[in-house]
């Protein structure tokens, strides 16, 4: 069982089956202390993935205080944080503003820096294991179903996180009705202490006494009892109860989880297309990894990796006839998102316009048949040199010249489709310079040529 007992029962009731366990994430002998990708920094065995301070919703704080399985150190940490008014609000026992900043700053120390270690961690173990919140209970570093499995766990995290928010608010409405306006945004989102959304939270890590009194009302000085009362209210809830309490606020997250589960169960389609993937030599094979699973390369025989360009939109049967060795690897390549279903604005390679690039051709960012997000990054070196980078999937374009920066910004704005010739005015070299730049990006699989969009107004209505 991967989740705490009650959350596991809720998810099983929703999905009709238990959540998958992930035996490749060998926590007792942490898999990330020996990552498969040599470029991934190894985790420290003394901290593993617990360089993270979770924000526990009110009912899980109470459950952890009541649960005899909670370690003494974790129980003491919970009590200390409450007594010191560090992140203790009626909604959550939260990360403090300082911990929030450390978390942001400490991304480089993830898995390594002991100063980022969770307060509830003890001798390599979780002291609140039976009452972990959504982030901790759905985290796996390695999934049997690779990128597709990771997306399923992320969807579970988002749904459980929303459930935690709604139940925490439901408790406050019942036990502290006069403080709801101070604690809850109009859109039913909790006001977060760590983010400075609660009055008084910006002045330090401990809430000032006036603020403490204002938000805790009649429960001030009895905060532990409040959290225990929250746990008692949530303990008997079934999934049907949670669904009723959460109402429309849960609908989108449920739909996302059901779609992620459907992807796990989906049969292989008759056409698959290759996106971009990084390829590294690993042992006697080729390690293929994509942006969602950079630490977990899929090792395949070289002839299988060499066959990937054949996945250009032709029927799967044709690829298998040409390279039968690919057959046993198809499911794993789909799970790793090296292969994807054509669609989503990406055009199979053999359906793309060919020939020299002309000004009236349409270009779009290639999203790898997996809707890879497009990110921009601005870096300024100590010498003052500006670098603008555009990242999509495993491809990154970096430029320094102001003209080229403007061109990249134009590409980002027109990611779903832009006229190639419209970039000519951005470079002093005009269309020849723009064409050379764009053709390089097409060769690098950052851009794809796509059929021209229909004229504004659409195709003529043939029924008239
Ligand atoms: S989930 Fe965390 S503790 Fe478990 S193997 Fe992965 S990194 Fe290690
Ligand atoms: S709550 Fe437990 S699993 Fe989560 S970071 Fe802390 S020690 Fe690790």
């Amino acid at each position: 069982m991967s989740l705490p007992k009650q959350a596991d029962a809720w998810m099983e009731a929703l999905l009709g089956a238990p959540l998958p366990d992930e035996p490749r994430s060998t926590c007792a002998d942490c898999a990330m202390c020996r990552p498969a990708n040599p470029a991934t920094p190894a985790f420290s065995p003394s901290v593993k993935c617990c360089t993270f301070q979770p924000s526990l919703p009110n009912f899980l704080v109470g459950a952890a205080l009541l649960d005899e399985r909670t370690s003494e150190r974790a129980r003491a940490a919970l009590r200390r944080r409450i007594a010191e008014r560090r992140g203790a609000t009626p909604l959550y026992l939260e990360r403090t503003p300082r911990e929030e900043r450390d978390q942001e700053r400490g991304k480089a120390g993830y898995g390594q820096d002991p100063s980022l270690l969770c307060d509830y961690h003890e001798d390599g173990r979780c002291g609140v294991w039976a009452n972990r919140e959504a982030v901790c209970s759905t985290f796996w570093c390695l999934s049997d179903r690779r990128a597709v499995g990771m997306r399923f766990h992320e969807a579970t995290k988002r749904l459980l996180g929303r459930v935690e928010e709604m139940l925490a608010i439901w408790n406050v409405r019942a036990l502290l009705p006069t403080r709801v306006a101070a604690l809850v945004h109009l859109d039913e989102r909790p006001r977060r202490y760590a983010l400075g959304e609660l009055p008084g939270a910006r002045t330090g890590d401990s809430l000032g006494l006036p603020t403490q009194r204002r938000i805790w009302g009649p429960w001030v000085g009895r905060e532990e009892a409040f959290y225990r009362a929250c746990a008692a209210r949530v303990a008997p809830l079934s999934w049907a109860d949670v669904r009723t309490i959460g109402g429309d606020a849960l609908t989108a997250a449920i739909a996302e989880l059901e779609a992620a589960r459907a992807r796990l169960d989906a049969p292989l389609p008759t056409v698959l297309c290759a996106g971009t993937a990084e390829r590294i030599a690993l042992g006697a094979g080729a390690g293929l990894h994509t942006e969602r699973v950079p630490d977990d390369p899929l090792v395949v025989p070289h002839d299988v990796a060499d066959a990937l360009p054949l996945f250009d939109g032709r029927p799967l049967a044709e690829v298998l006839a040409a390279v039968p060795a690919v057959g046993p690897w198809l499911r794993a390549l789909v799970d790793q998102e090296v292969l994807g279903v054509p669609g989503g604005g990406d055009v199979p390679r053999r359906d793309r316009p060919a020939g020299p690039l002309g000004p009236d051709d349409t270009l779009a960012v290639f999203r790898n048949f997996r809707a890879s997000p497009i990110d921009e990054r601005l870096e300024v070196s100590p010498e003052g040199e500006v670098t603008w980078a555009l990242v999509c999937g495993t491809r990154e374009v970096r430029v320094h010249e102001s003209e080229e920066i403007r061109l990249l910004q134009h590409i980002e704005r027109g990611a779903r489709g832009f006229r190639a010739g419209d970039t000519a005015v951005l470079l002093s070299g005009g269309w020849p310079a723009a064409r050379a730049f764009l053709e390089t990006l097409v060769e690098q699989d950052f851009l794809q040529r796509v059929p021209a969009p229909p004229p504004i107004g659409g195709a003529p209505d043939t029924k008239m």
Side-chain angles (χ1 to χ4, degrees):
M1 184 173 68
S2 60
L3 296 176
K5 198 171 168 192
Q6 189 177 32
D8 202 57
W10 290 341
M11 292 302 94
E12 184 167 349
L14 170 65
L15 298 171
L19 290 192
D21 215 343
E22 292 292 6
R24 295 177 67 225
S25 293
T26 51
C27 302
D29 178 21
C30 177
M32 290 306 289
C33 294
R34 304 173 308 280
N37 187 345
T40 301
F43 281 14
S44 155
S46 60
V47 298
K48 303 194 269 193
C49 54
C50 290
T51 48
F52 169 76
Q53 186 61 41
S55 293
L56 296 175
N58 48 28
F59 59 96
L60 288 181
V61 181
L65 288 171
L66 288 164
D67 196 325
E68 59 186 22
R69 292 166 296 180
T70 301
S71 76
E72 280 315 304
R73 182 192 167 106
R75 190 186 307 281
L78 291 165
R79 291 212 154 116
R80 192 171 54 247
R81 292 174 81 92
I82 295 167
E84 293 173 357
R85 306 193 302 277
R86 283 198 299 126
T89 80
L91 288 165
Y92 284 86
L93 186 52
E94 281 200 49
R95 252 198 306 278
T96 66
R98 181 182 59 75
E99 287 164 340
E100 182 76 17
R101 286 193 299 275
D102 286 351
Q103 211 80 56
E104 283 304 307
R105 268 200 300 264
K107 284 192 175 136
Y110 177 57
Q112 296 167 322
D113 182 350
S115 74
L116 299 174
L117 190 57
C118 171
D119 250 8
Y120 314 130
H121 189 268
E122 184 170 0
D123 295 334
R125 292 184 170 275
C126 173
V128 292
W129 185 255
N131 298 287
R132 298 168 348 275
E133 48 70 90
V135 177
C136 293
S137 58
T138 57
F139 178 80
W140 300 104
C141 57
L142 303 174
S143 169
D144 267 5
R145 298 295 305 273
R146 296 180 174 274
V148 175
M150 291 301 207
R151 292 192 195 278
F152 174 79
H153 294 310
E154 282 160 11
T156 311
K157 175 183 75 179
R158 275 190 282 278
L159 173 56
L160 282 178
R162 195 69 179 121
V163 165
E164 288 175 355
E165 286 182 354
M166 299 313 293
L167 293 181
I169 292 171
W170 177 69
N171 280 329
V172 167
R173 283 195 197 289
L175 300 174
L176 250 178
T178 56
R179 301 302 190 270
V180 172
L183 293 164
V184 184
H185 287 292
L186 286 176
D187 66 354
E188 287 295 292
R189 292 277 175 180
R191 290 184 196 273
R192 301 304 293 256
Y193 167 70
L195 303 180
E197 294 174 348
L198 280 178
R202 287 183 187 281
T203 54
D205 263 15
S206 293
L207 279 168
L209 260 180
T211 306
Q212 179 85 352
R213 291 200 186 98
R214 196 161 58 242
I215 62 172
W216 280 97
W219 290 91
V220 75
R222 298 190 299 133
E223 293 85 356
E224 282 192 29
F226 176 87
Y227 289 135
R228 283 196 297 270
C230 293
R233 284 171 50 77
V234 170
L237 296 183
S238 67
W239 174 246
D241 298 327
V242 172
R243 190 68 189 88
T244 304
I245 293 165
D248 290 346
L250 299 182
T251 303
I254 289 173
E256 186 197 357
L257 179 58
E258 288 176 336
R261 212 277 298 274
R263 246 186 112 188
L264 286 175
D265 298 340
L268 287 174
T270 52
V271 176
L272 283 166
C273 290
T276 60
E278 288 298 297
R279 178 174 175 169
I280 54 175
L282 271 184
L288 302 171
H289 60 91
T290 47
E291 69 272 17
R292 182 60 200 79
V293 279
D295 306 325
D296 189 18
L298 170 70
V299 183
V300 300
H302 285 292
D303 57 343
V304 171
D306 293 341
L308 290 176
L310 295 178
F311 291 90
D312 61 356
R314 74 187 75 183
L316 202 49
E318 272 184 41
V319 182
L320 292 175
V323 189
V326 168
W329 292 96
L330 281 176
R331 173 58 70 188
L333 290 164
V334 171
D335 283 354
Q336 189 77 339
E337 297 187 335
V338 172
L339 297 179
V341 180
D346 287 327
V347 179
R349 282 166 212 278
R350 73 175 187 171
D351 297 339
R352 294 177 191 170
L357 186 66
D360 288 327
D361 287 332
T362 304
L363 293 167
V365 174
F366 178 39
R367 310 277 303 277
N368 299 298
F369 304 106
R370 52 180 184 261
S372 296
I374 302 165
D375 290 326
E376 60 178 32
R377 282 191 213 130
L378 177 69
E379 294 163 14
V380 183
S381 74
E383 293 74 38
E385 186 184 46
V386 174
T387 301
W388 185 274
L390 208 52
V391 183
C392 184
T394 57
R395 295 285 182 271
E396 176 179 295
V397 183
R398 298 168 69 84
V399 295
H400 310 288
E401 305 294 332
S402 58
E403 285 187 343
E404 292 180 343
I405 291 174
R406 281 206 303 276
L407 202 155
L408 266 199
Q409 290 169 334
H410 183 93
I411 290 172
E412 187 185 7
R413 283 195 299 276
R416 292 164 67 92
F418 64 94
R419 184 179 167 274
D422 290 347
T423 61
V425 294
L426 302 172
L427 300 184
S428 49
W431 172 241
R435 182 175 61 197
F437 189 96
L438 296 172
E439 281 180 335
T440 304
L441 297 193
V442 172
E443 273 167 32
Q444 292 172 352
D445 275 337
F446 194 89
L447 290 178
Q448 60 182 328
R449 291 178 65 175
V450 299
I456 293 172
D461 190 340
T462 51
K463 287 185 190 155
M464 288 184 69

